[in-house]
Amino acid sequence: METARSEQIENRADPGQSRSGRDVRDTSTQTDSRVQGQGPPRLSNVNLFTLLSLWMELFPQEQPEDEDHSQIRGTGLVVVRDGKVAGLHCSGPELHAGQVAIIRHGARLADCQLYFSRRPCASCLKMIINAGVSQISFWPGDPEVSMLRPALTNHSHYRSHDPTDYIAQEAVLDTVATEKLKSNSRPHICVLLQPLAHGLAQFIDETSRESDFMERVTGDEPELDAEKLFTGQRKRRLDEFSKDFLIEKAQQHREVLTQMGLENFCMEPYFSSLRHNMRDLVGVLATAAAGVPQLHHGFYREQSSTGDPSQLSPAKTSMPPHYEGVSQEVARHCIIQARLLAYRTEDPKVGVGAVIWAEGQSAGCDGTGRLYLVGCGYNAYPAGSQYAEYPQMDNKQQDRQRRKYRYIVHAEQNALTFRSRDIRSEESNMLFVTKCPCDECIPLIRGAGITHIYTTDQDSGKDKGDISYLRFSGLKGVSKFIWQKSVGSVSSSSSYLANGCVGKHGRQADQESQSNKRQCTNRSQDPPPVC
């Protein structure tokens, strides 16, 4: 088919050229893509949006789909408007991801780009096309109407005559309708998937092993073998994600592609390249997730009024709803979203990602429940500038005029600037950020009406000269959930400080912690920080 051929050519050719002449290059980079100098390895926008869609498919569900009885696969969706993420959605108990987007955005979908974790069904596609989107991209594995499961009906005549007998007639009919909609549509419907930048996989692996979350875990439990912990977490995640997104057998994948009208993707070397690129993305997702290890740690509320460990509050306590927070599973999922965003950074050394979610008064229409996206961002130089146009040194160099800190726009600042909707004072507004907010961001966070922060406190109380973290501990009116060891796992001999830290991040004796606390207090006129 001509449409399939166009998609196949685009996947192997210059990703900046579409069949319709539209420019789908990496236009939403924070700085000009015509960079000067060598920047850090980064995720392309295409791969970032694809990764976010895959991860949204796995959003923790209160009512997960029934794997044994449903032919409809849960799907993740990223809505991109003017190069910025305008929505993160997933299928709900009743609605598909595409239907959720229609309800959430309506006519605002016009000229947007949509990234699906799998090909949407005809029912969703007709509405999305009608809304006037400019581009629809999807991963061509098992589509939303699954071809790898039997139909619900027991009538034998309702089954496909395919000899493998794993493709239901409903999936075949949906494919025919989808192909007709696609061939007559104005939007560019394609498969956008790019190879990883050179050195990016290694960079993600190294920074995940040394993340603040891993550092806290190994600091609190020094007897752990950090290498074994990370490797085990990554392998488990890799197995899970490969099962979710990669059809195990290559021949079966070829058959699915053929049934979807994408038989040209089955040609070599394009088929192997397609699967290789997705394996790389699945590896990135597994590595980023392993950097927030599932062990004895979670996000626990800071208690400023007491040092009693028993008063530490986990997410989702019996507090009033406005201060309650989200479950550990959702908090961890959102932090990993932020970690993925951090790999778009233009900071040569430190990548930071931030996501803001709001919790409405009643359950929404999609699988995120009462949560909806407010904004997201990563740290980068100002929009429109060229990389290497600004200083890039950190605080280890002596020449302060050549340091980067006065030029980098922080992840929290970008998330607040490019938000997809206003922050409402009557709702919980939750910021998930991969590093402790600095003194420059604290007034913005407070002024914007953020009610919850989920983060680490590895830098809390530190003064690095050009950038300091002295105000975080004194931030009032915001519930802070800090990544730390769970209450039930804490040794009775551990010394808790006011922010729920164990000793000084669990690594030094009580007397050293108290000494540093006095030093930090003397460095600033702000409310006394907790180190």
Side-chain angles (χ1 to χ4, degrees):
M1 295 184 182
E2 181 61 34
T3 305
R5 186 178 299 112
S6 297
E7 289 174 344
Q8 181 261 330
I9 291 174
E10 177 164 309
N11 188 66
R12 66 184 172 89
D14 180 4
Q17 299 298 320
S18 70
R19 63 177 181 182
S20 58
R22 292 188 182 95
D23 188 354
V24 294
R25 286 174 294 181
D26 202 7
T27 54
S28 61
T29 179
Q30 183 84 357
T31 59
D32 196 306
S33 58
R34 295 165 301 186
V35 298
Q36 298 176 350
Q38 180 63 43
R42 310 170 66 201
L43 275 174
S44 68
N45 270 323
V46 163
N47 285 346
L48 172 63
F49 299 148
T50 301
L51 278 167
L52 289 173
S53 73
L54 300 179
W55 190 232
M56 281 305 300
E57 180 174 314
L58 302 176
F59 195 92
Q61 300 274 329
E62 293 183 2
Q63 301 179 36
E65 64 173 330
D66 190 335
E67 292 284 344
D68 296 328
H69 298 93
S70 175
Q71 193 184 346
I72 304 300
R73 297 294 305 267
T75 303
L77 168 62
V78 178
V79 178
V80 178
R81 183 184 301 117
D82 297 328
K84 308 297 180 184
V85 176
L88 296 174
H89 307 293
C90 59
S91 304
E94 296 182 349
L95 295 174
H96 300 186
Q99 295 170 329
V100 169
I102 292 292
I103 292 174
R104 292 288 197 190
H105 301 272
R108 294 189 303 277
L109 285 175
D111 297 324
C112 286
Q113 297 82 45
L114 274 57
Y115 289 77
F116 285 90
S117 61
R118 54 188 73 245
R119 191 202 66 187
C121 69
S123 296
C124 292
L125 193 59
K126 66 183 180 184
M127 291 188 292
I128 293 167
I129 291 172
N130 189 52
V133 302
S134 64
Q135 178 181 286
I136 300 168
S137 177
F138 63 91
W139 161 241
D142 190 24
E144 190 168 44
V145 180
S146 177
M147 294 184 169
L148 300 178
R149 306 176 188 185
L152 298 176
T153 179
N154 292 323
H155 301 294
S156 59
H157 68 273
Y158 199 69
R159 294 291 187 90
S160 168
H161 295 294
D162 187 276
T164 59
D165 199 31
Y166 66 80
I167 300 177
Q169 184 67 25
E170 182 65 27
V172 174
L173 293 174
D174 185 78
T175 293
V176 173
T178 298
E179 199 61 37
K180 184 164 290 190
L181 285 165
K182 185 169 58 176
S183 62
N184 293 302
S185 70
R186 291 169 295 175
H188 179 45
I189 302 176
C190 56
V191 174
L192 293 178
L193 202 61
Q194 298 173 342
L196 294 183
H198 177 70
L200 180 59
Q202 181 179 352
F203 178 71
I204 293 175
D205 183 84
E206 292 172 354
T207 52
S208 294
R209 292 173 188 271
E210 299 170 358
S211 72
D212 282 11
F213 305 95
M214 278 293 297
E215 182 182 348
R216 185 59 184 268
V217 170
T218 54
D220 287 346
E221 304 188 38
E223 71 281 0
L224 285 176
D225 184 332
E227 177 68 21
K228 184 177 180 180
L229 170 64
F230 181 85
T231 302
Q233 292 270 322
R234 186 183 184 280
K235 182 181 184 305
R236 182 171 65 83
R237 284 296 194 169
L238 189 59
D239 291 343
E240 292 174 2
F241 299 156
S242 296
K243 180 181 178 181
D244 287 321
F245 302 120
L246 272 172
I247 298 176
E248 183 177 357
K249 297 179 180 179
Q251 182 56 36
Q252 195 176 47
H253 194 184
R254 291 178 189 272
E255 292 167 353
V256 167
L257 289 173
T258 300
Q259 291 293 330
M260 289 171 65
L262 301 177
E263 60 269 17
N264 285 337
F265 272 127
C266 298
M267 298 170 58
E268 293 293 357
Y270 316 124
F271 178 72
S272 296
S273 176
L274 182 78
R275 287 176 63 87
H276 175 77
N277 289 344
M278 178 50 74
R279 282 197 189 94
D280 282 349
L281 283 193
V282 167
V284 167
L285 196 58
T287 304
V292 190
Q294 290 178 306
L295 197 63
H296 306 305
H297 284 66
F299 290 95
Y300 292 87
R301 186 191 306 275
E302 172 189 286
Q303 296 292 311
S304 58
S305 61
T306 179
D308 183 358
S310 66
Q311 297 302 311
L312 290 173
S313 303
K316 213 72 177 175
T317 65
S318 59
M319 299 288 286
H322 191 70
Y323 301 97
E324 192 174 67
V326 295
S327 68
Q328 293 288 353
E329 292 80 8
V330 170
R332 188 172 179 278
H333 191 278
C334 294
I335 278 289
I336 293 171
Q337 289 172 356
R339 293 210 71 233
L340 292 173
L341 285 159
Y343 290 112
R344 277 290 293 166
T345 185
E346 292 168 329
D347 188 325
K349 183 178 179 183
V350 181
V352 182
V355 184
I356 303 173
W357 287 87
E359 187 171 25
Q361 301 299 313
S362 58
C365 58
D366 60 13
T368 59
R370 293 186 295 176
L371 298 180
Y372 59 85
L373 182 73
V374 173
C376 57
Y378 50 87
N379 56 334
Y381 293 100
S385 56
Q386 293 184 345
Y387 185 80
E389 191 170 72
Y390 291 113
Q392 298 164 56
M393 290 184 175
D394 59 26
N395 61 337
K396 292 183 180 180
Q397 282 79 27
Q398 296 300 315
D399 186 356
R400 294 188 66 186
Q401 292 185 359
R402 299 178 64 190
R403 294 181 188 171
K404 62 190 178 183
Y405 299 104
R406 289 175 176 81
Y407 304 98
I408 287 282
V409 183
H410 299 188
E412 302 96 315
Q413 296 166 356
N414 273 319
L416 289 168
T417 301
F418 299 110
R419 58 184 186 272
S420 57
R421 60 180 299 164
D422 290 335
I423 293 176
R424 300 171 181 174
S425 59
E426 69 274 12
E427 296 177 341
S428 296
N429 298 286
M430 293 166 279
L431 169 67
F432 300 84
V433 59
T434 57
K435 279 190 172 292
C436 177
C438 70
D439 292 354
E440 185 177 326
C441 291
I442 290 298
L444 292 170
I445 291 169
R446 181 167 45 214
I450 297 296
T451 59
H452 302 66
I453 296 177
Y454 291 79
T455 188
T456 71
D457 65 348
Q458 295 298 89
D459 287 328
S460 181
K462 295 182 180 179
D463 185 352
K464 299 183 178 180
D466 293 282
I467 188 169
S468 57
Y469 303 87
L470 303 177
R471 294 187 180 185
F472 179 71
S473 296
L475 179 60
K476 304 298 183 184
V478 179
S479 296
K480 289 174 281 186
F481 289 90
I482 309 301
W483 175 259
Q484 58 191 292
K485 200 170 185 179
S486 61
V487 176
S489 303
V490 174
S491 168
S492 59
S493 62
S494 297
S495 174
Y496 273 77
L497 302 180
N499 67 342
C501 297
V502 183
K504 182 169 181 170
H505 309 308
R507 291 186 295 274
Q508 298 179 11
D510 294 353
Q511 58 270 27
E512 184 177 350
S513 174
Q514 294 302 319
S515 173
N516 286 333
K517 183 176 180 180
R518 288 192 296 272
Q519 293 173 15
C520 289
T521 304
N522 294 333
R523 279 201 299 260
S524 174
Q525 297 303 315
D526 293 327
V530 179
C531 300

